[in-house]
Amino acid sequence: MSTSCATVGTEWLNPVGTRLALPGRNNHFRGKCDLSRRGFTFNGIVAAGASVMTTSVVAEPSKGLERLPFKPEGYNYWTWRGHRIHYVVEGEGFPVVLIHGFGASAFHWRYNIPELAKKYKVYALDLIGFGWSEKALIDYDAFIWRDQVVDFLKEIVKEPAVLVGNSLGGFTALIAAASLTDEVKGVTLLNSAGQFGDVSSAAEGTEETALQKFILKPLKESFQRVVLGFVFWQSKQPARIESVLKSVYINSSNVDDYLIDSITKPAADPNAGEVYYRLMTRFISNQRKYTLNNVLRQLSCPLLLLWGDLDPWVGPAKANQIKEFYPNTTIVNLKAGHCPHDEVPELVNEALLHWLSATITPASSLETVSET
């Protein structure tokens, strides 16, 4: 989930700046995977064209839903660049790839995988450093996860697909889609990470002096290790995880042992503390160089935003910014927090299935007919 909740602050989740530069190209995004303009209606959500309204009903939506069995040993493994990567695969049909948020795993899609797999071939991938994937001691960067997803599509999925991501997984889905414009037929974001801004406006780093390089920098790093080591130890305690989760789930009925176990087990890995340190000091601190502006300019397929409007970290204003910048966008507003796919899975499943049937399935069917 984006249990950035459980392990990290809100820097990566919240936009740093609110300025929005609009490109003068409103119709540039149309193509063979263009968004269907016919309206559709389903429980609690009414959508027409690319704008959506929702009801305010939020009442234990996971009741009666099938849940992915929790397996302490995990499901399937793939070797990527010498590292062990975990993933789940269920169902048959057009591929849909689910990407979790910071601190979470494939198990965070527990209520989505079984339902989506009734009509599609569903993959849920653990990003390297998280979940049941290897806690590799590497330099973490947004492009590491992009490359992982790109290679997963090429080596495991092996056909065009739709990417779905929550928080950090949402931004990862976007940059992967921008790299594979022919293979990715659509992207769905649930309270995505990423921010609008101008990379070139970031201050240029000055050359380090000998004092900074050999004395001040090592002292700073030593202090950071002590502080972040304590923060990590505290953040992986079950009681702390439960508390943070309940702060971002408006309806906390799904904050249960399954969810907490899916976070605490990976955090017990011997390398988890070092991975946390590297993420906090190298990836999170450099987030300004990753901007939604640049990524959205490279995108060419339909975009669906399933947005928890009551998210204390990433509010609905960000979804509106994305749609303004990238018109080929449908927004579904949900009365939920940062992880709507686990808090209101019935509504998310229904919205996603309708969007897939209205946008992706017709396009893939037409391509199949043209090829024959």
Side-chain angles (χ1 to χ4, degrees):
M1 70 180 268
S2 297
T3 32
S4 0
C5 351
T7 54
V8 71
T10 60
E11 293 93 339
W12 174 244
L13 300 171
N14 290 328
V16 172
T18 56
R19 292 184 300 165
L20 174 62
L22 293 175
R25 37 183 248 209
N26 291 337
N27 299 314
H28 179 71
F29 312 107
R30 303 295 180 247
K32 65 180 179 181
C33 56
D34 190 16
L35 176 66
S36 170
R37 285 291 173 183
R38 71 175 184 265
F40 49 89
T41 306
F42 44 97
N43 290 338
I45 303 172
V46 180
S51 61
V52 182
M53 297 183 299
T54 71
T55 66
S56 58
V57 177
V58 182
E60 299 188 34
S62 59
K63 276 191 172 181
L65 279 184
E66 185 180 351
R67 187 174 72 178
L68 181 75
F70 184 81
K71 292 186 178 182
E73 71 279 13
Y75 279 78
N76 306 284
Y77 289 90
W78 161 59
T79 300
W80 178 69
R81 297 184 179 179
H83 302 296
R84 197 167 185 242
I85 304 299
H86 174 251
Y87 69 96
V88 177
V89 58
E90 301 283 343
E92 296 295 335
F94 191 90
V96 176
V97 180
L98 310 176
I99 309 170
H100 63 80
F102 197 110
S105 70
F107 289 109
H108 202 209
W109 303 98
R110 53 185 172 164
Y111 292 116
N112 314 109
I113 294 172
E115 190 66 22
L116 297 175
K118 293 176 182 177
K119 293 186 176 181
Y120 299 95
K121 188 168 188 177
V122 182
Y123 296 87
L125 173 69
D126 280 1
L127 297 175
I128 190 168
F130 297 113
W132 273 246
S133 286
E134 186 176 332
K135 308 302 175 290
L137 301 183
I138 60 176
D139 290 334
Y140 285 91
D141 184 280
F143 299 114
I144 289 292
W145 296 311
R146 175 202 63 185
D147 293 347
Q148 180 190 346
V149 171
V150 166
D151 289 345
F152 185 78
L153 290 173
K154 292 178 178 178
E155 297 179 20
I156 302 298
V157 180
K158 298 180 180 179
E159 58 181 312
V162 168
L163 301 182
V164 180
N166 170 233
S167 194
L168 172 64
F171 189 75
T172 301
L174 276 179
I175 57 177
S179 300
L180 291 174
T181 54
D182 291 333
E183 290 84 356
V184 177
K185 300 303 181 182
V187 176
T188 297
L189 306 180
L190 299 97
N191 295 65
S192 179
Q195 59 192 13
F196 285 97
D198 184 358
V199 177
S200 63
S201 67
E204 291 287 337
T206 56
E207 185 177 349
E208 286 184 317
T209 64
L211 176 66
Q212 290 172 323
K213 183 175 182 180
F214 297 110
I215 299 178
L216 297 181
K217 188 175 180 180
L219 284 174
K220 178 183 176 182
E221 290 177 352
S222 297
F223 179 73
Q224 285 177 328
R225 281 195 175 277
V226 172
V227 172
L228 290 175
F230 173 76
V231 171
F232 175 72
W233 175 85
Q234 183 185 52
S235 68
K236 70 177 183 177
Q237 303 307 311
R240 174 58 179 165
I241 291 173
E242 181 178 5
S243 174
V244 176
L245 288 171
K246 287 183 175 179
S247 74
V248 294
Y249 275 57
I250 305 307
N251 174 9
S252 61
S253 61
N254 282 348
V255 179
D256 54 16
D257 290 343
Y258 181 118
L259 180 59
I260 294 170
D261 288 347
S262 74
I263 298 167
T264 56
K265 184 173 175 59
D269 186 284
N271 287 344
E274 177 63 22
V275 170
Y276 178 80
Y277 171 77
R278 295 183 182 209
L279 287 167
M280 292 298 293
T281 57
R282 302 175 192 183
F283 169 61
I284 299 294
S285 63
N286 291 329
Q287 62 171 292
R288 279 183 172 269
K289 67 182 182 181
Y290 317 116
T291 68
L292 288 170
N293 314 48
N294 186 49
V295 178
L296 290 172
R297 287 191 184 104
Q298 301 173 58
L299 202 63
S300 60
C301 62
L303 181 61
L304 171 65
L305 306 181
L306 300 178
W307 218 265
D309 282 352
L310 305 180
D311 184 349
W313 293 340
V314 187
K318 184 174 181 179
N320 294 331
Q321 278 186 299
I322 292 173
K323 176 171 170 49
E324 187 178 3
F325 195 97
Y326 190 75
N328 193 8
T329 299
T330 297
I331 301 178
V332 175
N333 301 100
L334 301 166
K335 300 300 181 185
H338 188 62
C339 308
H341 59 294
D342 193 57
E343 185 180 344
V344 288
E346 280 185 345
L347 297 181
V348 167
N349 290 342
E350 202 160 9
L352 181 54
L353 285 168
H354 275 78
W355 181 78
L356 287 169
S357 65
T359 61
I360 305 304
T361 305
S364 59
S365 299
L366 287 173
E367 289 173 14
T368 301
V369 171
S370 64
E371 288 173 2
T372 58

